[in-house]
Amino acid sequence: MADSGAGVRALPVLNTPIGHDSAPRHVSGEALYIDDIPEPPGLLHLYAGQSAHAHAKVTKLDLSAVRAAPGVVAVLTPADVPGKNDISPFAGDDPLFAEGEVKFLGQPLFCVAAETLPKARAAAALAVVEYEDLPALLTADAALAAGSFIEPSQRMILGDARAAIAGAPHRASGHLQVGGQEHFYLEGQVALVIPGEGDDLHVWTSTQHPTETQHILARVLGCQDSAVTVEVRRMGGGFGGKETQSVQWAAMAALAAKVTRRPAKIRLDRDDDMALTGKRHDFEIDWELGFDADGRVAGAAFEFASRCGFSADLSHAINDRAMFHADNAYALPAAEIVSHRTRTHTVSNTAFRGFGGPQGMMAIERALDAVALQLGKDPLDVRLANLYGIAGDLTPYGQTVTDAVIHPIMTELAASCDYRARRDAIQRWNAANDHLKRGLALTPVKFGISFTTTHLNQAGALVHVYTDGSILLNHGGTEMGQGLNIKVAQVAADAFQVPLASVRITSTRTDKVPNTSATAASSGSDLNGMAALDACEQIKARLAAWARAKWGHDPVFTADGVQVGADRFSFRDFVNQAYLARVSLSAAGFYKTPDIHYDRATHTGRPFYYFAYGAACSEVVVDTLTGENKVTRVDIFHDVGRSLNPAIDLGQIEGGFIQGMGWLTTEELVFDAKGRLTTHAPSTYKIPTAGERPDVFNMAIWQPGENRENTIHRSKAVGEPPLMLAISVFSALTDAIASVGGHRVMPNLDAPATPERILAAINDVRRRADG
């Protein structure tokens, strides 16, 4: 393993709860992050000079005082870029430094390289910049009105939704605002670059996508990809915020190192990090359903408008995934899903855990709550009636759902958490109490697993077996705390049937495993685990051929050693003999996800290899005088297939749920009229703390789970899907608020459901119910 803290484990190592390989070093402080690397001699510290306007022409940029400031070694501008002034992942619309026009408040204009960070900051403040203001579009609504988009609006069609809605016995419609979310990773954006011979650069950066970082840095610097080596040992969190938006800071450090021939480092403080990096996309959603008296949906129409920011970033794919997940776990006989991707003069929003899926799911869950209220039915019954596997199996994008297990998950959860009796008790409570109101909701998750950009579904790995029996493993995935490395180590240990402590995973490096995809889309274990297994199987095949030639028998790898006919060898002795016989003990593995395809022009195909499922039941209590609220109990069943590591998977389920709960309740992004983020620090932006964790939190891996597809040991992805289990909290809050009006009117509640919004919704329900 990468760290020895886990120690020697008894076999089998698969499907076994084993602690995170770096956990002891996290606790002791020994785990090294980029800011812990000893600073090399001559290190330069960087600070970016930022735009003070959201949208303006730069009429004057005088940096003479900056260059003359104490300690300044270099001031970098577009004129210093030897390659292309472009750090975009694909669209060519995201400059490293603004040129002539600024398009969001805080956009970097230049970068100061100085002997210390305080000197770099002080020098940057001396810049003389004059602007001519231009109209600024700061919201999705403003961009819609102005016709400002990053690409043409997209439409996904199944049947004739409008006719189905019009012909249905009942109809409901509504509007929902869903806010963004700050990633708030523990380790901020940081990069350290050391120049080598010629064009060579060694880049340490906190990124989820080392290969893309390598390629973009080479583009900016005008050199070959092979000259740039990107290394990532671990990140202190990513959540999508370091998939593309870590590149800008690495590029600044790389440019400084190239220009000055000195090591260069940039590390954003929390305020700059929050102000200068993108968030989860905020959405405006309109929805309309037609349905029968039992709540079965006949047709559904959704219209999404998201704020993408000034450049495309990953917004094409993020908004596509929102469309893919507008159905969540429900078979819609007819559907029309329209998506507007608005270009605004704000920092470009980017990937965030769930990648648009959570926003898409919010629409249908909100709509089904309204259906249940309108019909006077239990929301759980409405949900159960519309599930895949019960109501149908065809998605709006034409993929047939063949693995639907959501109905048994939901019914088993409802029974285990005593949903029916608790709902009756809550109704009695609410009838007897005017001040405090309780709410309950049980909601599902169906999340598609694969990159929807098909070519990204590939991975590589490198495995070396040494003559002492130890194994070195490298793969293209990045460890950001999610436990990817320990899972891939378990796969390799199981392949050779050796103790887990025999496997060491090294830093992700682009000169070891090239051309890999981001650690994203919940596919890290799926892709890299299979690539590592492929490398192990190649070595085992060579060993088998040699053993057959030497002994006439195939080797059998066991926990007690390698059995060859009547002979038994320790693994160490066996591979040492193979080395002496000149058998290669090293292999590069590769994997690509099979049987997936997608035609974006028609929005049809099979973009997902399989689906991950889960369900959560959340109970809340709301103070109707203040809007303050508390999640008092949560029960979760989540399907991870055959878990590679139940301890790691349970940690992901809990963490994902709490992060989703924060998105929907406390984490409010506030921008002023000039486009400045005012909630740019922990003092003004509230992520969940231990105090927000429910007092009763029951979660379990759904035991019948097993992936029907040939994934790594029949496991399922677990990184993103649990976040959307927290939609049950939002529905439970809606339920509690609706009780104020006797469940006669649907609350107008937007996300995040802050106390202020909850109180406003309560007062609105009272007025409408009494009217």
Side-chain angles (χ1 to χ4, degrees):
M1 297 182 301
D3 291 329
S4 60
V8 176
R9 301 286 305 203
L11 293 170
V13 296
L14 280 183
N15 317 119
T16 301
I18 298 173
H20 194 290
D21 53 290
S22 292
R25 294 185 179 183
H26 287 152
V27 173
S28 67
E30 294 177 280
L32 290 177
Y33 295 88
I34 292 169
D35 210 29
D36 299 319
I37 297 173
E39 295 182 347
L43 180 69
L44 297 175
H45 296 267
L46 309 184
Y47 187 79
Q50 304 162 23
S51 163
H53 294 243
H55 189 206
K57 290 182 180 178
V58 179
T59 58
K60 181 179 181 180
L61 179 60
D62 183 354
L63 301 177
S64 55
V66 182
R67 292 189 169 94
V72 171
V73 174
V75 178
L76 306 172
T77 70
D80 297 295
V81 176
K84 293 183 179 180
N85 183 33
D86 173 33
I87 55 167
S88 66
F90 72 95
D93 60 350
D94 200 343
L96 175 60
F97 301 117
E99 294 188 77
E101 182 180 334
V102 293
K103 297 183 178 180
F104 72 90
L105 198 151
Q107 185 173 14
L109 294 165
F110 60 91
C111 181
V112 181
E115 293 169 351
T116 68
L117 180 57
K119 289 179 179 179
R121 291 181 67 110
L126 301 177
V128 178
V129 190
E130 295 179 1
Y131 303 89
E132 178 185 324
D133 276 332
L134 298 170
L137 305 173
L138 302 178
T139 65
D141 283 341
L144 275 172
S148 176
F149 304 102
I150 65 163
E151 69 167 336
S153 297
Q154 303 293 304
R155 187 180 301 268
M156 185 180 288
I157 299 293
L158 176 65
D160 190 338
R162 294 297 174 181
I165 293 170
H170 302 276
R171 288 177 294 279
S173 61
H175 180 80
L176 175 66
Q177 292 181 349
V178 179
Q181 186 177 20
E182 160 63 29
H183 300 87
F184 219 97
Y185 24 66
L186 290 177
E187 178 192 32
Q189 300 284 1
V190 58
L192 168 66
V193 180
I194 297 180
E197 295 181 346
D199 288 334
D200 289 355
L201 292 174
H202 196 115
V203 180
W204 285 269
T205 179
S206 189
T207 181
Q208 295 171 236
H209 203 339
T211 286
E212 184 172 79
T213 301
Q214 174 195 30
H215 295 171
I216 293 177
L217 265 55
R219 178 206 302 164
V220 170
L221 300 177
C223 65
Q224 294 182 332
D225 292 352
S226 57
V228 180
T229 298
V230 177
E231 180 172 351
V232 181
R233 172 59 189 93
R234 59 170 63 83
M235 282 172 281
F239 310 116
K242 296 174 181 176
E243 185 172 347
T244 60
Q245 301 219 347
S246 57
V247 174
Q248 181 155 30
W249 320 111
M252 286 186 191
L255 179 61
K258 183 177 180 69
V259 169
T260 66
R261 306 303 304 166
R262 290 172 61 172
K265 179 179 178 180
I266 187 167
R267 178 177 59 80
L268 302 188
D269 65 20
R270 183 63 65 180
D271 294 87
D272 282 343
D273 199 310
M274 291 185 70
L276 303 183
T277 61
K279 319 298 178 196
R280 183 187 295 282
H281 290 61
D282 47 304
F283 270 57
E284 300 283 341
I285 302 171
D286 289 298
W287 60 267
E288 186 176 8
L289 294 188
F291 50 96
D292 66 16
D294 294 320
R296 293 188 182 90
V297 175
F302 301 102
E303 187 169 6
F304 299 122
S306 74
R307 177 168 60 168
C308 299
F310 87 100
S311 68
D313 196 84
L314 297 176
S315 290
H316 293 66
I318 291 165
N319 284 274
D320 284 357
R321 189 172 276 267
M323 298 171 73
F324 288 131
H325 289 82
D327 60 340
N328 191 10
Y330 310 106
L332 305 176
E336 177 183 271
I337 305 165
V338 177
S339 171
H340 308 294
R341 295 98 191 269
T342 67
R343 189 187 297 274
T344 54
H345 297 108
T346 53
V347 65
S348 291
N349 285 325
T350 192
F352 201 124
R353 197 176 195 173
F355 205 76
Q359 297 95 311
M361 288 186 192
M362 282 289 287
I364 187 65
E365 295 301 336
R366 183 70 166 165
L368 291 182
D369 280 337
V371 168
L373 190 145
Q374 184 172 319
L375 296 176
K377 289 186 170 294
D378 189 319
L380 177 58
D381 291 330
V382 172
R383 289 183 163 94
L384 291 174
N386 287 288
L387 292 175
Y388 281 107
I390 300 296
D393 59 10
L394 188 64
T395 67
Y397 43 93
Q399 178 167 347
T400 300
V401 178
T402 60
D403 60 357
V405 293
I406 189 59
H407 189 269
I409 289 174
M410 291 182 72
T411 53
E412 289 173 29
L413 178 63
S416 71
C417 75
D418 208 15
Y419 172 87
R420 303 289 182 181
R422 288 167 60 198
R423 188 157 187 86
D424 289 342
I426 286 172
Q427 289 177 341
R428 293 192 296 272
W429 164 278
N430 286 339
N433 290 272
D434 292 330
H435 178 197
L436 299 178
K437 298 290 185 180
R438 292 160 63 191
L440 187 69
L442 194 159
T443 63
V445 166
K446 172 186 126 290
F447 192 77
I449 304 299
S450 291
F451 287 97
T452 55
T453 302
T454 304
H455 75 267
L456 296 177
N457 294 285
Q458 60 177 297
L462 181 65
V463 173
H464 300 319
V465 177
Y466 294 99
T467 56
D468 68 349
S470 65
I471 299 167
L472 185 141
L473 172 61
N474 193 272
H475 58 80
T478 55
E479 175 62 55
M480 62 192 89
Q482 83 278 37
L484 172 61
N485 280 351
I486 189 68
K487 284 186 172 183
V488 180
Q490 288 173 267
V491 169
D494 177 76
F496 290 108
Q497 290 290 291
V498 298
L500 187 56
S502 296
V503 180
R504 177 174 295 273
I505 295 184
T506 55
S507 297
T508 305
R509 286 177 56 128
T510 55
D511 60 351
K512 287 188 177 180
V513 178
N515 305 323
T516 58
S517 299
T519 305
S522 301
S523 60
S525 296
D526 282 5
L527 295 177
N528 295 288
M530 289 293 268
L533 182 59
D534 177 54
C536 294
E537 293 299 329
Q538 290 180 47
I539 296 170
K540 288 170 67 178
R542 292 185 207 132
L543 291 170
W546 164 68
R548 283 194 300 270
K550 182 176 177 64
W551 289 288
H553 296 281
D554 281 333
V556 179
F557 295 84
T558 75
D560 297 320
V562 183
Q563 187 77 36
V564 186
D567 297 316
R568 181 180 297 276
F569 306 92
S570 69
F571 181 73
R572 174 176 182 161
D573 288 344
F574 184 71
V575 297
N576 191 58
Q577 288 190 56
Y579 161 74
L580 294 174
R582 297 184 295 178
V583 176
S584 172
L585 299 176
S586 177
F590 181 77
Y591 175 75
K592 62 178 181 179
T593 308
D595 303 325
I596 53 174
H597 57 91
Y598 185 63
D599 180 3
R600 191 167 187 265
T602 61
H603 288 296
T604 58
R606 187 193 180 190
F608 304 119
Y609 191 35
Y610 65 89
F611 296 96
Y613 297 91
C617 182
S618 292
E619 184 174 341
V620 302
V621 60
V622 173
D623 186 328
T624 61
L625 301 181
T626 66
E628 293 174 286
N629 59 91
K630 172 75 174 174
V631 182
T632 57
R633 176 175 171 178
V634 171
D635 295 84
I636 293 172
F637 277 174
H638 197 73
D639 172 28
V640 298
R642 293 187 63 216
S643 174
L644 295 173
N645 187 326
I648 295 295
D649 287 348
L650 285 170
Q652 287 295 290
I653 294 167
E654 180 176 9
F657 180 89
I658 295 296
Q659 190 172 54
M661 187 177 75
W663 166 52
L664 293 173
T665 58
T666 65
E667 297 185 41
E668 185 177 23
L669 294 165
V670 179
F671 294 84
D672 67 17
K674 295 183 178 181
R676 185 183 305 276
L677 179 67
T678 61
T679 51
H680 54 76
S683 57
T684 51
Y685 184 82
K686 182 171 174 50
I687 64 171
T689 65
E692 276 73 52
R693 189 185 189 278
D695 294 334
V696 179
F697 199 158
N698 302 315
M699 60 178 177
I701 292 171
W702 190 58
Q703 289 305 306
E706 179 173 276
N707 203 327
R708 297 178 187 177
E709 300 296 342
N710 187 27
T711 55
I712 185 69
H713 297 296
R714 302 289 178 173
S715 62
K716 284 189 176 184
V718 71
E720 293 172 291
L723 183 137
M724 287 147 278
L725 296 171
I727 295 174
S728 60
V729 173
F730 191 82
S731 287
L733 290 169
T734 300
D735 182 52
I737 296 167
S739 72
V740 173
H743 288 92
R744 297 191 302 275
V745 295
M746 182 68 181
N748 292 318
L749 181 65
D750 292 323
T754 60
E756 295 87 348
R757 285 198 175 104
I758 290 174
L759 184 59
I762 288 170
N763 292 334
D764 179 64
V765 164
R766 283 195 176 116
R767 284 193 299 270
R768 289 190 291 135
D770 293 342

